[in-house]
Every structure is written in C-alpha cells, then in structure tokens.
Amino acid sequence: MQDQSARIKIAVQKSGRLTEHSMDLLSRCGLSYSRGRDQLICYGENMPIDVLLVRDDDIPRLVQEDVCDLGIVGINVTEEARLDFAANGVANLFERVNELDFGHCRLSFGIPASVEFQDARSLEGLRIATSYPRIVEDYLRRKNVNASVVEFSGAVEIAPSLGKADLICDLVSSGGTMRAHQLEEVETILESRAALIQTPVKLAEEKATWVQRLLQRVEGVQQVRESKYIMLHAPRSALDSIRALLPGSEAPTIMPLDGRDDIVAMHAVCRENIFWETLEDLKDAGASSILVLPVEKMLA
Ligand code: ATP
Ligand code: ZN
C-alpha cells in the first residue's frame, strides 16, 4: 500500500467557472488522472498528485488547515477568507504563490437608478448586499464610511428590487448580469483572477520536490501561452533598433550568415504575443525573412 501522506493534494473547484481552466492547467503540467467513483477525487496516474474537487469557498480553509497542500481559487475568495480569519483572531497562514491567467473578474458596486453615487462617501447610511461582507467592510473602514452590509450567499443582484438593500457589491466580468437587473456598475473595490495558494506547513523532502516541480511547470505553462519564438535576418547596423522592438525578449542569439558580413540571423524567445504591427515595424527597421513560431514547452 502506497503512503497516502506522501501524495500532494490540490483543492480545485468541483463545478463552476474555475473548474475547466484549473483541470486544463494541471493537464498541461503533464498530469494525467482518473476520476474516483465518488467524483470527489481525481487520482494522478503519472505523478504523486491527487486533485480534491470541492466548493471554491472551502479551498482557503482546506489549504490553511493543511488538508490540502495546494489550492486553485479566486483572489476574491482568498481575500475574503484572509479578512475573515483575521476578524476571528486566526492568523492567515496560506500563501499565494502564483497568479494565474484565468478567472478574471472584479468586485464592484452596482446601483439602481434611485441611488446617486459620486464616491465612497455617497454610501453613507446605505445598505449594501454582498457575498463578500469582509472585503466590503474593510473597504468601508478604509474610506471611513458608515454603511450596513447585508450578507447574501447568492442572487445578490435581486436584493435591491426585493427591498433588502439599496445597492449591491458583486463580482462582474462582462457586466451583463448587473445591466440585466438595471444596476449600474460604479466602482471596483477588488480586481481578481485565479491564484495558486500553498499550505504554510513545511513539506517532507520528496513532497517538497514535487511541489517545486509543479510550481515550475505552472510558471512554464503560463509563459508559454503568450510566448513566441522569432527568427529573422537583420543588418548588423540595425541590431539594436530591432532588439528594442521585440516584446519581452531576453538576450537573443545572433548567428553569422554564410558569405554575408553585413547581415546576421537573430533568434529570440518573446514572452509576449507578436502582432502584425510588430512584424511591420521590424521590417521597416531592416529585418527580413521573419518567422514567428509558437513555443510548446518552456523551463526557465
Ligand atoms: P461554488 O459552488 O464552488 O461555491 P460559486 O458559485 O461560488 O461556486 P462560480 O460562480 O463558479 O462560484 O465562480 C467561481 C469563481 O470564478 C469566482 O469566485 C471568481 O473568482 C471567478 N469569476 C470570474 N468571473 C466571474 C463572474 N462574472 N462572476 C462570478 N465569479 C467569477
Ligand atoms: Zn462559492
């Protein structure tokens, strides 16, 4: 029987907006897995890593209490948990190790036509419905405003029409939900995206090595999504101006071209996407034979 404590446990949202992106990220890190019969655990087949599928709100606590070593969850949820732990005298122990490139949203105030909003002071004396009471209270405290926070666990946007609140503070990505409920988005109090969080507990050596390896792969996957490999020919005299046009590139490789002293080949990895405008600028700067290739894997 394998030692279960030697396996890394990652908490991922069971079913929701982060689920598919999180599982896709782990697959891109090379993890293949089979789903347990109860559908609550995915067992890693080629790495000592298992994925626990849970509600996103439970993820900070599972990592804080070392039930899971890692978790993938929105910063909105980690911030709310951090402030909630603090309010209850519990030190925040989980660490945010990596921000991820999905789950982008923002926590914003949405007001009905009856409310006038100029700045935070306009909220004085009003009732705000939200699923993020700690974050909203923290904001009000920092702005020195007295308003009451009404906690709603879902369907926050109907609170004003039910007469339960004057306005809401809720997550927005496109803004469609607020508009559909005749609410105007007026101010953002938190920008969020998914993040990878880690337990504070010191891991046994073998486990720590795997966590390190996984974090490095996560980093690599994130970089690769945008990165491009570019090859071109450049006059020696234009090398500096051409380099300056390449977005996010480190020292490029310069190679001589057979029989030509004035022209060299330049190869570089760019950590950002390369758009047509950049290619046109490169050509104007003297580059020719420009090729842009996708990067499949990267290990810094
Ligand atoms: P659970 O059942 O796991 O508690 P949930 O209903 O709380 O699910 P989802 O709506 O699936 O959660 O959202 C999960 C996370 O996705 C949010 O906490 C947030 O970080 C992110 N997110 C991105 N865009 C949005 C959006 N427009 N609305 C809500 N959450 C968003
Ligand atoms: Zn949730």
Side-chain angles (χ1 to χ4, degrees), residues 98-163:
N98 215 326
E99 292 190 357
L100 305 170
D101 56 6
F102 56 87
H104 295 269
C105 58
R106 53 193 187 273
L107 187 60
S108 297
F109 289 117
I111 56 166
S114 55
V115 171
E116 263 188 53
F117 183 92
Q118 254 119 45
D119 55 30
R121 275 168 301 175
S122 314
L123 302 173
E124 189 72 33
L126 298 183
R127 295 164 305 157
I128 307 167
T130 186
S131 310
Y132 297 90
R134 297 296 187 192
I135 297 177
V136 176
E137 281 162 5
D138 182 61
Y139 170 85
L140 295 170
R141 209 168 19 247
R142 282 187 283 113
K143 297 287 179 181
N144 227 340
V145 170
N146 280 308
S148 49
V149 174
V150 188
E151 184 167 355
F152 260 65
S153 53
V156 177
E157 60 283 348
I158 62 169
S161 52
L162 291 178

Side-chain angles (χ1 to χ4, degrees), residues 13 16-18 55-57 74 76-77 103-105 171-173:
Q13 189 186 23
R17 294 172 197 260
L18 302 180
R55 286 204 55 192
D56 67 343
D57 316 67
N76 50 308
V77 174
H104 295 269
C105 58
L171 294 178
V172 187
S173 42

Side-chain angles (χ1 to χ4, degrees), residues 209-227:
T209 309
W210 270 105
V211 166
Q212 212 40 50
R213 195 173 289 170
L214 186 70
L215 295 183
Q216 200 171 45
R217 289 186 188 182
V218 166
E219 187 99 355
V221 169
Q222 301 258 110
Q223 281 178 359
V224 148
R225 282 201 229 264
E226 289 273 279
S227 295

